[in-house]
Amino acid sequence: MMEPEAKQKVIYIIYLIAALDITWLFLQFSITPYLARRLGFDTIWFGYLQTTVGVIQLLGGPIYGRCADVFGARAALTVSCLASVVYFLLLTVADNTFMLFVHKLPAVFMHGLPGAQMVVADLSENEKRADALGKLGLCFGIGMIAGSSLGGTLSTRFGEKFAASFAAVGSFVSLLLVLNFIPKQTKIQTMPESNKKGSSNSVFNLGEITRLMKFPGVAKTFTVKIISGLPAGIFQVMFSIIAMNFFQLKAEQNGYLMAYFGIVQMVIQGAVIGRLTSRFSEYSLLLLSVGISSLVGLAQAMMTNVFHFCLIVVPMMFSLSVFNVITDSMLTKSVSPSDTGTMLGLCASVQSLLRTVGPTIGGFLYETYGVPSFGYIQCVINAAVFSLLLATGGRSQPHRP
């Protein structure tokens, strides 16, 4: 069993690895849309590219989480970092449509943030878990700022290939950190309860993955996570197109806007969420985030320029941050400690599902009804979810002590 000081050291290293992982991710976000446009992609084809990534990660998320539970944190994070290195190396040679799609294939194993969440969930106390997971959001904000700024600057001044190569080297640095500082196993119980009952230890055992849906409260929270998160997910997937075409932003300007996102998220997740979770119940915060998300949708429907959007970003990032942290915390508390990796893998698959259906739906809405349609749909769906949550209350949300 690890000493408290050793646990805290591992958590700090995980925060660093997560920040680096998100940095390279957002660096790529500053490259791909402009590379795709240079290769002749329109909105629909860019949607297909995004959908490809969503499908790949949708398939890989639960398996990755199960792998983390079976083989340990170090093995799972090593696979993720290696996949990132290959991903960015392929991006450096993506000079045609086929290679732009091929370079997305390693994304099936790229689940660095869920891996980091698993380690934090394993090493943190139940009552402090939401705050600890929220601090990962602080790392997300740092990565968003650094990655967006680096991506826009490097691709503008030195070209997209150099920026991709830089990210490949950075992913290798992350790999070295994992191999040197992350313990092989971070769970208190190294053998999942299901294995003790004679269940299969296979990473690809679908029954072990779907079994978690039978725990009390899991199905309801999971359904809310999917339905309420869908409109925001569609907007996020389409944002690079909206930034280019609706706001008329260049690569460097888009990088600055993403950096602004990061600053807002850092403040919210580093200084706000911890205070909220210590004062209010998780169910109350879930209601708050869904309600604010509905109002944000209405504001998005009415915005006409990038200044309006910058005003909307603060409540938007607040609702997204609180919603994601609280739902992840509720779900990991609803299962045994030996299953947190699989559960976080399923949570990651929700985001992948949104990225899978989001581009197709988003491309259709953008071309047919325009940007305001995203906001109206978000407003209506989240208002409906808020009403249902308010009516049913927190009775079906028990958590393990």
Side-chain angles (χ1 to χ4, degrees), residues 32-225:
T32 305
Y34 299 92
L35 176 60
R37 185 168 65 176
R38 188 164 56 79
L39 293 175
F41 279 49
D42 59 12
T43 303
I44 302 298
W45 269 98
F46 187 74
Y48 292 153
L49 183 67
Q50 297 288 78
T51 298
T52 301
V53 179
V55 171
I56 289 171
Q57 293 205 307
L58 177 63
L59 296 173
I63 296 173
Y64 180 86
R66 180 72 181 149
C67 174
D69 282 336
V70 173
F71 298 111
R74 185 195 296 165
L77 287 168
T78 297
V79 168
S80 177
C81 291
L82 281 172
S84 294
V85 173
V86 175
Y87 179 92
F88 288 112
L89 288 176
L90 287 174
L91 183 57
T92 62
V93 296
D95 54 3
N96 56 61
T97 299
F98 175 74
M99 284 305 300
L100 196 58
F101 275 92
V102 167
H103 106 272
K104 299 293 185 183
L105 294 179
V108 70
F109 300 115
M110 289 170 60
H111 299 277
L113 187 58
Q117 289 174 322
M118 186 202 76
V119 174
V120 171
D122 287 343
L123 300 181
S124 59
E125 301 296 329
N126 266 9
E127 61 273 13
K128 297 180 180 178
R129 185 169 298 171
D131 185 32
L133 290 171
K135 294 297 190 297
L136 271 176
L138 176 64
C139 302
F140 191 98
I142 293 171
M144 186 185 293
I145 294 170
S148 301
S149 303
L150 270 175
T153 302
L154 292 178
S155 60
T156 300
R157 298 185 181 181
F158 304 105
E160 290 136 357
K161 292 183 183 295
F162 179 85
S165 301
F166 190 91
V169 173
S171 297
F172 185 74
V173 172
S174 300
L175 174 62
L176 294 178
L177 288 172
V178 169
L179 293 174
N180 284 281
F181 295 104
I182 304 302
K184 182 178 179 181
Q185 187 60 258
T186 55
K187 296 184 181 298
I188 298 174
Q189 297 174 328
T190 58
M191 183 183 294
E193 292 176 7
S194 56
N195 292 346
K196 296 176 182 177
K197 299 176 183 177
S199 298
S200 170
N201 198 40
S202 171
V203 170
F204 300 98
N205 186 350
L206 186 61
E208 287 300 299
I209 296 172
T210 57
R211 172 181 60 86
L212 302 184
M213 289 295 111
K214 298 176 183 177
F215 281 82
V218 170
K220 177 182 176 181
T221 306
F222 217 77
T223 303
V224 169
K225 193 172 181 70

Side-chain angles (χ1 to χ4, degrees), residues 10-11 69 91 113 115 122 126 171 175 177 179 188 228 250 253 283 288 298 300 309 315-316 344 346 363 399:
V10 172
I11 289 175
D69 282 336
L91 183 57
L113 187 58
D122 287 343
N126 266 9
S171 297
L175 174 62
L177 288 172
L179 293 174
I188 298 174
S228 183
K250 297 178 181 178
Q253 293 171 323
Y283 200 78
L288 177 66
L298 186 61
Q300 285 177 347
F309 182 67
M316 181 183 79
L344 287 166
L346 287 169
H399 299 313

Side-chain angles (χ1 to χ4, degrees), residues 320-340:
L320 282 173
S321 299
V322 173
F323 181 79
N324 288 328
V325 168
I326 294 302
T327 50
D328 285 353
S329 178
M330 292 171 75
L331 287 167
T332 55
K333 289 178 182 178
S334 298
V335 300
S336 64
S338 57
D339 289 317
T340 53

